[in-house]
Amino acid sequence: MRTDYVDRELDQFIAARVMEHKGTLAYTADITLAWQVVEKMTRKFYCELKLDMFVGVSGEHWVVSFYSPRKCKRYESRGKTAALAICRAAKEAFLDLTGG
């Protein structure tokens, strides 16, 4: 688990709002936990996932987007790790799809 790209505030949001759990897990640092977020978003909001990785002069860069066919809208985010990018995109999608 990579802890150098952890976002504790985002972990708390994902745990409480998206996953509806008490307590906080390291969703932004653990790809296994982040994938649970993907599964929840696809089941609950019927979102589709797109995950890309680019390697360039700045190093690895992950781009994640959730697409909502119901709203015809894409929610995209970037991060140094796939888990962080997944959680950022999930938060953006969740806030729009639930109205906040």
Side-chain angles (χ1 to χ4, degrees):
M1 174 178 11
R2 299 218 33 184
T3 58
D4 46 342
Y5 298 115
V6 174
D7 182 334
R8 296 288 181 212
E9 187 176 316
L10 183 54
D11 285 335
Q12 291 171 352
F13 177 90
I14 294 293
R17 305 281 304 278
V18 177
M19 302 302 287
E20 303 171 299
H21 287 252
K22 293 183 181 178
T24 302
L25 299 173
Y27 293 100
T28 58
D30 186 330
I31 191 62
T32 302
L33 293 173
W35 202 257
Q36 292 175 11
V37 175
V38 170
E39 291 172 347
K40 178 86 175 219
M41 294 296 293
T42 57
R43 278 193 320 269
K44 187 171 184 175
F45 300 108
Y46 306 103
C47 287
E48 299 168 1
L49 175 75
K50 182 177 180 186
L51 178 65
D52 293 310
M53 197 268 281
F54 300 95
V55 178
V57 293
S58 63
E60 297 177 357
H61 195 74
W62 291 90
V63 179
V64 171
S65 63
F66 286 99
Y67 174 73
S68 171
R70 289 180 172 175
K71 281 198 155 190
C72 294
K73 193 167 181 183
R74 184 168 305 282
Y75 308 92
E76 184 175 288
S77 190
R78 300 170 187 270
K80 282 287 198 181
T81 65
L84 183 57
I86 286 168
C87 291
R88 287 175 175 165
K91 180 180 179 180
E92 183 182 336
F94 179 87
L95 289 171
D96 187 61
L97 295 171
T98 62

